[in-house]
Amino acid sequence: MLALSLQPKEFPVSECPPRSQILTEVMEELVCTAADRMRMEAEEKLQSLGKHLTVQKKNYRKKNGLEVILAPVKMAEEVQLDSNLQIPGGSLSIPSSPATARNDCSIAPLTPSPSPRVEVRPRMACPFSVVVAIDFGTTSSGYAFSFMQDSEAIHMMKRWEGGDPGVANQKSPTCLLLTPDLRFHSFGFAARDFYHDLDPEEAQHWLYFDKFKMKIHSTSDLTMETELEAVNGRKVRAIEVFAHALRFFREHALKEVKDQSSSVLEGEEIRWVITVPAVWRQPAKQFMREAAYLAGLVPPDCPEQLLIALEPEAASIYCRKLRLHQVIDLSLQPITNGLDLDGTRPFDSSFRQAREQLRRSRHSRTFLVESGTGELWSELQTGDRYVVADCGGGTVDLTVHQIEQPQGTLKELYKASGGPYGAVGVDLAFEAMLCQIFGEDFIQSFKAKRPAAWVDLMIAFEARKRTASPGRANALNISLPFSFIDFYKRHRGQSVEAALRRSNMNIVKWSSQGMLRLTQEAMNELFQPTISNIVRHIEELMGKPEVRCVRFLFLVGGFAESPMLQKAVQKALGRTCRIIIPHDVGLTILKGAVLFGLDPTVVRVRRCPVTYGVGVLNRFVEGRHPRDKLLIKDGREWCTDIFDRFVSIDQSVALGEVVRRSYTPARVGQRKIIINIYCSATDDVTYISDPGVRKCGTITLDLPEPLVPPGAVGGAEGGAVVAGPERREIRATMQFGDTEIKVTAIDVMSNRSVRASIDFLSN
């Protein structure tokens, strides 16, 4: 990349002049010798790449300078299924399945074809003109977009109004406000500030939702009817709350895209990307897709227009593009008791400097990325591995990748792992500390009777939490709302200061200015449980044979900005690998999600998180199968509940690999086939009734009317009956190599598509 250091030029987005005019004006400011040198370097790079691109096309304005990127754009490959593959073997003899015998599924499995297999269709032009990515986080959310014709430029959303002093508000807090009659009112800072200003009595009737994304991960039986509880205790269907939020982002993003587009964009020209944690199960991923349909992002009959991106995977995609000046390398910053090696500078000073640089760069909302891979990857050789730790608000996600040279694609080496160890854990620890001081019954009563004041208190803690650092000597002051002090005196008959003295909690003091003073020891107690879980999980992952010899550990996500977490990770792992933190650490996932939407094939191989399969019948073998599995049907002995494995846990599945199974309707005229899907956290599974095996979803095949070939005999209810001994075959094809499981099916005899759907939310 050629970096041209220029004076910033200000243009309102809506009045941005043509690129040729910008280029002319900017070039006039260059020193001739520098301009000639850079032009020569650009021409040499163009020749080496064999592309005839112009400098004008790659010229973008940035407030603090200008970057010109000259490189070809890689066309994404698309995958299709081969509908003409023949089933091996001529004997399709298994007549039924346990679901048939128990009347919960009318299918009869035929002989499966070998699986998995890879099928790739010819490269085609992408039908989308723009990619819009939404990073739906636990504590903060945002969106960004990029045009296909200028895919090296990622446009960030506008800065939000409101926010906290000293906190860069490139993203918006994930909080939503509904009116008392359940209509959408506002999202983000607007929702938080409006709710804060409501009269306490009136606020009890409004529905305020904060950090509600965590509910989707923690709910084991997630369905379309799952409910979320607002701060005032009222409940609303979760799907409606998420749809309101996504609809808000859709409206704002479309307005910005249209303002920057030179042509009129139709809805089908936009590809949407929504990020989710990698540790989320299939029901949670489907839930986000259903919420997007409800919000109007894409119609349900165009599912390919929406991609679900895994958060650490998106971060990994972006980290491939990083240059050395865009990262902080903790490995180059040895520490001794919270200070630099020479003992003269606090450990977190470099991070403060990085944050200042980030704040300055955020005045420009357009980021440019490398067309190929960044300088960091020049140090990697074939086979080198790295870990991405996405430390967000609600969860910590770990993914292990290997970059494949020279194409720059990624290969997942170990299934995604993580847990609920996000920054919200520090908030919960603070709440537990308040309960210990003032009593749990009082805190619960205060949250119910003064919900807006409780939100205000947690906002104050969030602002101070961001400034906590290992080497801090003085205490952190947390402002208590006046309503908290007054409410406590009314209900307890004593002051807050008296409650502190009675609690014997010496690490928390009281200030006469109405503040709680948290000592360094108190902050350590709040952070330690969450940080210890994160460090322990990373260490356990790196101890596995598949993950040894890791070269880099990338820390991303909002919580990765915390010097408390940075120091703990460096102390535990600094001698094992290089620890890298991108400068724009809070926006890494969002930028990577845009890149994923531009080229969904960049992750070539993924690992299956669990074992998937279905239940079938096999011939009963005396002495091999238990007697309680014996089923006698039409004079034949069958063993029920056999687990037919599709893919195994931690199995490598390449993009485009498919698993095929063929089924035949159990009765003439049948119009629907329903297949139950089972999953297990182990690969040691024989029967669907084994411990740890659970039903996780269903595949539904809607059967069209069978075509009547010459010589067929009609007259049966439900349609014509095909003459001859050949049974009707429905071939289902499943893909496990994408971020979501997909299924398609065809009627083999007629070669017609069968409407196929997979549902993980109906359990």
Side-chain angles (χ1 to χ4, degrees), residues 224-294:
M224 297 288 284
E225 302 303 320
T226 297
E227 292 183 322
L228 291 177
E229 184 174 333
V231 172
N232 66 355
R234 291 182 62 183
K235 294 184 178 181
V236 181
R237 289 174 66 217
I239 193 77
E240 296 176 5
V241 175
F242 278 80
H244 280 310
L246 291 174
R247 193 178 296 115
F248 169 85
F249 282 119
R250 174 184 177 274
E251 293 172 357
H252 281 257
L254 287 180
K255 184 179 185 303
E256 284 198 57
V257 168
K258 290 176 181 177
D259 287 344
Q260 296 205 30
S261 175
S262 58
S263 59
V264 179
L265 290 173
E266 301 295 335
E268 61 270 14
E269 294 183 70
I270 301 175
R271 165 174 271 168
W272 295 87
V273 182
I274 299 177
T275 64
V276 302
V279 293
W280 270 18
R281 296 180 290 269
Q282 291 297 329
K285 296 176 185 177
Q286 182 184 340
F287 180 91
M288 291 299 291
R289 177 172 286 276
E290 296 294 340
Y293 292 155
L294 186 61

Side-chain angles (χ1 to χ4, degrees), residues 177 193-203 206 452:
L177 184 63
D193 295 344
F194 185 91
Y195 185 67
H196 172 268
D197 294 338
L198 283 173
D199 178 80
E201 294 300 324
E202 186 181 2
W206 289 68

